[in-house]
Amino acid sequence: MQGTVLYGPRDVRFEERPDPTIIEPTDALISLPLSCVCGSDLWPYRGIEPIDGPTPMGHEYVGIVEEVGSEVGLIEPGQFVVGSFFASDNTCEICRAGYQSSCIHRRPGAPTGAQAQYARIPLADGTLVATPGMPPEEMIPSLLAASDVLGTGWFGAVAAEAVPGKTVAVVGDGAVGLLAVLAAKQLGAQRIIAMSRHESRQRLAREFGATEIVTERGEEGAERIKEMTGGLGAHSVVEAVGTQESMMQAIRCTRAGGHVGFVGVLHNVEIPGEEFFFSHVHLHGGPAPVRRFLPELIDLIWNRKIDPGKVFDLTLPLEEVAEGYRAMDERRAIKTLLRP
Ligand SMILES: [Zn+2]
């Protein structure tokens, strides 16, 4: 098959790769009708997250099951399935508590890379969720979004305790931040403040349910949120970037007793202990247990209640994947969809 490999900073190659095969009896092989580039792929792309030699890329996937190993019982060839970036057994105590992304058997969800034609998925029964039938073509991007960015934004909103009556602020206007807005809306938040200075992203945030936009960031952004909330700060803040500035912005936007749901992959972030101590802010986040939310998210998409696929604003042939990375790196695109 052909697939995407990162060789070093800004060196993405689309090349001939070995066909994935069943290695463990719990594996499934799926063919990928579409794939995409993730904001978190930009960390190794930019060289901020070091890689250990040439690395197959892509961890968001939906697909058609082609073959299953001898111990796979729930997933069958011919099904259309959605998975996520970590494979999980979905049976251990941690999984049953809803933290599948910390499963005791956790491993990469698509170790052969999902920016490719085929992928091997470990622990298929625990990891994959089948849709009720074969989705129509135009629904596939939304199901693909559920695999990571929607599931992650959703976890951010849940971790921030975005519930009816609450004011939710979202730090970060990438795909995850925008879908955290959608999640907050679905979860019934009263006010949803998207923090963004890009017009096209502000427009999408409003479409997804943002009631207000704040363009200031950092200290000024936090001040602005306080002004808008009677000097208190938001009840719930989703952090969807992962830098020192964005994490502190999120903590400082939150009122005493409020909650930050942090889902941007933190890189070199240090939280000053004294400030945190006196903030009375709850912090909860980490790699999203997307598997927990997949049945509900698939149902919302299947019944056309939400259309998270709108975050894809650039579509390229799979072989032009390197341009897909460039466009996202330069913020010309929110998220790139790739067609094999
Ligand atoms: Zn588990």
Side-chain angles (χ1 to χ4, degrees):
M1 70 161 185
Q2 291 187 297
T4 305
V5 179
L6 182 70
Y7 277 79
R10 295 189 160 73
D11 184 4
V12 172
R13 301 183 205 170
F14 187 69
E15 59 184 28
E16 206 53 41
R17 304 259 312 137
D19 284 336
T21 53
I22 301 281
I23 294 177
E24 292 179 81
T26 46
D27 287 348
L29 293 183
I30 64 173
S31 59
L32 307 168
L34 286 176
S35 46
C36 58
V37 181
C38 185
S40 66
D41 292 333
L42 297 179
W43 293 107
Y45 179 78
R46 288 169 174 159
I48 297 169
E49 197 178 283
I51 54 168
D52 192 19
T55 304
M57 296 297 287
H59 56 260
E60 303 159 277
Y61 56 89
V62 296
I64 296 157
V65 179
E66 300 288 331
E67 197 185 328
V68 297
S70 58
E71 285 175 25
V72 176
L74 302 173
I75 294 298
E76 297 167 7
Q79 284 177 327
F80 192 94
V81 290
V82 186
S84 93
F85 46 86
F86 280 132
S88 51
D89 56 22
N90 209 33
T91 54
C92 76
E93 202 171 319
I94 301 295
C95 282
R96 283 185 281 120
Y99 286 84
Q100 289 90 341
S101 44
S102 273
C103 173
I104 60 166
H105 295 120
R106 176 178 92 173
R107 59 196 77 180
T112 52
Q115 289 156 6
Q117 294 169 315
Y118 296 92
R120 176 174 72 87
I121 313 297
L123 302 174
D125 277 344
T127 305
L128 298 172
V129 179
T131 56
M134 209 41 81
E137 185 85 24
E138 82 281 359
M139 191 183 281
I140 299 178
S142 283
L143 292 166
L144 181 57
S147 165
D148 182 354
V149 282
L150 173 61
T152 296
W154 198 276
F155 175 58
V158 168
E161 308 224 335
V163 293
K166 295 271 184 86
T167 296
V168 180
V170 178
V171 179
D173 61 2
V176 171
L178 292 167
L179 290 168
V181 168
L182 180 151
K185 164 89 177 164
Q186 286 294 316
L187 294 166
Q190 186 177 15
R191 292 173 74 189
I192 304 169
I193 307 168
M195 303 186 84
S196 169
R197 46 176 60 178
H198 298 86
E199 207 185 315
S200 60
R201 295 168 189 241
Q202 293 172 358
R203 214 176 313 123
L204 193 51
R206 285 203 187 271
E207 225 178 295
F208 282 156
T211 54
E212 290 136 286
I213 304 284
V214 164
T215 54
E216 293 89 345
R217 57 203 284 183
E219 203 48 55
E220 275 175 64
E223 279 311 309
R224 187 80 195 91
I225 297 288
K226 288 213 170 105
E227 273 170 38
M228 294 163 75
T229 51
L232 303 177
H235 298 97
S236 303
V237 179
V238 179
E239 195 288 332
V241 184
T243 62
Q244 180 71 30
E245 187 193 26
S246 62
M247 190 64 181
M248 293 316 297
Q249 181 178 328
I251 291 171
R252 290 168 183 162
C253 285
T254 311
R255 66 176 59 190
H259 294 76
V260 174
F262 59 98
V263 289
V265 183
L266 298 185
H267 283 81
N268 306 313
V269 171
E270 287 183 17
I271 297 169
E274 267 183 68
E275 181 179 347
F276 179 50
F277 182 80
F278 285 101
S279 72
H280 267 149
V281 166
H282 302 74
L283 297 183
H284 183 34
V290 175
R291 178 65 183 80
R292 185 206 309 180
F293 305 110
L294 277 180
E296 182 185 357
L297 300 180
I298 290 171
D299 189 61
L300 287 169
I301 293 165
W302 198 263
N303 293 304
R304 301 187 190 274
K305 299 269 172 33
I306 57 172
D307 191 4
K310 283 182 185 160
V311 291
F312 294 106
D313 58 348
L314 174 66
T315 302
L316 293 172
L318 180 55
E319 62 263 29
E320 289 173 33
V321 57
E323 169 55 19
Y325 276 78
R326 268 195 300 277
M328 284 175 61
D329 180 42
E330 294 164 10
R331 286 183 73 89
R332 284 184 279 121
I334 299 173
K335 193 165 176 69
T336 308
L337 192 64
L338 300 164
R339 269 182 205 289

